[in-house]
Amino acid sequence: QVQVVESGGGSVQAGESLTLSCVASGSTRGRGCMAWFRRGPGQVREVIGCVYRGGATSYRDDSVKARFTLSRDDSRDDALNTLNLRLDSLKAEDTAIYYCAAARYCPYGTPWSEYERAFDSWGQGTQVAVSS
């Protein structure tokens, strides 16, 4: 089993930044892909981006890439089991529950709307609230 734990959520003002952290533990050897998703109020869960092991990060689109940054926590020995998400220039519409997830492989080539089907290890989510 793989345990996924997110942290770092909170309440911020529009324009501020926030960094979310994610750590996977347990049987992570078969889970090479990690990703961040979010679900806003009344919305479906959507992928933000993902990374497979030491490979390049992949973002859903340019608008996400412009303000959000995925990175590993290189300060940890198990850096490949971590995935940070830095959120810059936050807007009210970024208010959501942010989820970290792990999968055997990143479903490259799959439509972004179907990405979450590949992920079988999920964290509980961390709430981000942005006030304008």
Side-chain angles (χ1 to χ4, degrees), residues 1-5 23-31 78 81 121:
Q1 272 191 331
V2 176
Q3 294 77 46
V4 179
V5 179
V23 178
S25 61
S27 303
T28 59
R29 193 165 188 174
R31 296 293 181 272
D78 60 347
N81 294 326
S121 301

Side-chain angles (χ1 to χ4, degrees), residues 20-132:
L20 308 181
S21 300
C22 173
V23 178
S25 61
S27 303
T28 59
R29 193 165 188 174
R31 296 293 181 272
C33 180
M34 294 185 70
W36 277 96
F37 295 76
R38 70 178 183 181
R39 176 183 284 151
Q43 299 179 3
V44 298
R45 187 157 56 187
E46 60 181 4
V47 64
I48 293 171
C50 64
V51 59
Y52 180 77
R53 295 209 180 277
T57 54
S58 180
Y59 296 91
R60 186 182 76 238
D61 54 44
D62 288 342
S63 65
V64 168
K65 188 176 181 179
R67 296 190 297 119
F68 297 171
T69 305
L70 295 171
S71 64
R72 300 290 193 180
D73 185 352
D74 292 327
S75 69
R76 296 175 61 109
D77 291 338
D78 60 347
L80 290 182
N81 294 326
T82 68
L83 189 61
N84 292 340
L85 173 63
R86 179 175 172 85
L87 311 169
D88 290 317
S89 302
L90 281 162
K91 306 175 182 179
E93 51 263 43
D94 294 320
T95 294
I97 300 175
Y98 286 72
Y99 298 90
C100 182
R104 184 172 295 276
Y105 300 106
C106 290
Y108 298 124
T110 301
W112 289 111
S113 60
E114 299 178 12
Y115 245 61
E116 69 172 271
R117 294 182 184 180
F119 293 82
D120 55 5
S121 301
W122 292 84
Q124 293 297 308
T126 184
Q127 176 74 53
V128 173
V130 185
S131 56
S132 57

Side-chain angles (χ1 to χ4, degrees), residues 3-15:
Q3 294 77 46
V4 179
V5 179
E6 309 99 333
S7 61
S11 298
V12 297
Q13 297 288 320

